[in-house]
Amino acid sequence: MNRSSQTSAIILALKPLGENNSLVTLLTPTEGLVYATLYGGPKSKLRSLVAQWNSGLIWLYDNSEKKQIKITDFDVKNYHYSFRQNLFKMYAASLAAELAIKTRCAGSNEECFKLISGFFDGMELCNEEQSQVALLRFLWRFLDLLGLQPQCHDCFECNKSFLTSEFAPYSISYYNGMDNSFICPECAENINESTSMIPLKTASLQYLAAVTYLKPAEARKIAISKESYDEIKQLVFFLIENSVEQKLNSIETGMGIL
């Protein structure tokens, strides 16, 4: 980072630093996570701009002698006001931020920034119900960013396609945690009974396939039933916590809200 620089950024978190200052966690497309100091008391104009979930163009000064990065200005493009007014959106945004921090942007700064930026901006335009489905799509795509998204278009064992008319919406498929894969009912009969498997209606699996292969704008248009929503939620929450190998605070504290 140059001594003085500017970059697009999302404010993920703030922590008090002394009486009037804050340590700010930024998500940027090039550097990934940046930890910067914000100086100024409650009446500071800059302090009112550098608020959690705000995104825009930020100016930074790198003081190498003090080993400190200072925020000097912030041009906010999106305030995401609704996150402060809706508990679900607030916890969903917290979960996205926690994932970025704990996975170090999943090893891809630019893609992580694009994914979270699109998720935040999309939620701001949605109601709570739409945001709930958007969270499932975000988590499924984050699994892909981590390289841990299971293949969902055919059976891992026999290669039978889940996307053909042979698998009617009432059919069942299974997620097999041993291989991080989906298998058909016939192959599931040959799996050891002690193996933990999560059942999914084929309609739910087909929705995940659509999210995987379609552009986000196209995937948003696809309707999802309450049953599929519940099944996919159980699956992606299980997979995302397994991916970081620890409980996520946002899910634990947001139980009953997320």
Side-chain angles (χ1 to χ4, degrees):
M1 183 181 293
N2 295 327
R3 197 168 180 84
S4 293
S5 61
Q6 64 183 54
T7 181
S8 297
I10 305 171
I11 310 298
L12 295 185
L14 297 96
K15 290 184 179 180
L17 188 65
E19 291 186 9
N20 294 316
N21 307 323
S22 299
L23 179 63
V24 184
T25 304
L26 307 170
L27 176 62
T28 72
T30 54
E31 302 292 331
L33 297 173
V34 174
Y35 298 93
T37 302
L38 173 66
Y39 290 96
K43 295 182 179 179
S44 165
K45 178 184 177 181
L46 188 56
R47 187 185 181 96
S48 66
L49 295 173
V50 182
Q52 193 175 31
W53 317 134
N54 286 0
S55 62
L57 190 61
I58 200 161
W59 280 259
L60 304 170
Y61 179 79
D62 188 358
N63 189 329
S64 56
E65 289 80 11
K66 293 184 177 181
K67 297 182 180 180
Q68 183 185 72
I69 298 172
K70 173 185 175 183
I71 298 173
T72 57
D73 203 1
F74 190 30
D75 180 14
V76 182
K77 303 297 184 183
N78 294 290
Y79 286 87
H80 302 121
Y81 287 120
S82 66
F83 294 13
R84 301 173 182 86
Q85 301 164 348
N86 182 281
L87 271 178
F88 176 85
K89 290 185 180 184
M90 182 187 73
Y91 274 102
S94 296
L95 176 54
E98 187 177 2
L99 283 172
I101 293 169
K102 287 187 173 178
T103 65
R104 297 183 181 275
C105 298
S108 179
N109 298 336
E110 184 176 1
E111 290 304 313
C112 183
F113 180 85
K114 285 166 58 177
L115 185 58
I116 290 182
S117 180
F119 177 48
F120 281 11
D121 292 348
M123 272 207 301
E124 183 63 23
L125 301 174
C126 294
N127 58 32
E128 181 173 322
E129 183 177 355
Q130 293 167 327
S131 296
Q132 290 171 344
V133 181
L135 176 61
L136 301 191
R137 293 196 299 268
F138 166 79
L139 293 175
W140 183 248
R141 290 174 180 137
F142 201 89
L143 286 166
D144 183 41
L145 202 59
L146 288 166
L148 296 172
Q149 184 190 89
Q151 178 180 294
C152 60
H153 57 78
D154 56 26
C155 175
F156 179 77
E157 296 291 337
C158 69
N159 297 320
K160 193 177 297 179
S161 175
F162 294 126
L163 307 181
T164 63
S165 57
E166 182 180 350
F167 281 86
Y170 56 81
S171 298
I172 295 287
S173 304
Y174 296 89
Y175 171 75
N176 179 5
M178 290 291 292
D179 297 314
N180 189 35
S181 64
F182 291 102
I183 56 177
C184 68
E186 289 81 5
C187 292
E189 292 178 358
N190 301 321
I191 300 295
N192 191 303
E193 291 183 0
S194 63
T195 301
S196 177
M197 294 193 292
I198 299 176
L200 238 72
K201 290 283 179 65
T202 305
S204 302
L205 202 56
Q206 289 172 340
Y207 180 82
L208 290 177
V211 174
T212 303
Y213 298 111
L214 296 180
K215 294 180 179 179
E218 297 171 329
R220 284 196 296 269
K221 297 176 183 178
I222 301 175
I224 180 173
S225 68
K226 177 65 166 59
E227 184 177 21
S228 286
Y229 171 82
D230 290 339
E231 287 184 341
I232 294 171
K233 176 184 173 181
Q234 178 191 10
L235 175 69
V236 295
F237 275 45
F238 170 78
L239 292 178
I240 208 70
E241 286 202 311
N242 270 9
S243 72
V244 296
E245 299 181 339
Q246 60 181 292
K247 293 293 185 181
L248 291 163
N249 295 332
S250 303
I251 292 179
E252 293 297 298
T253 59
M255 191 72 67
I257 298 173
L258 286 177

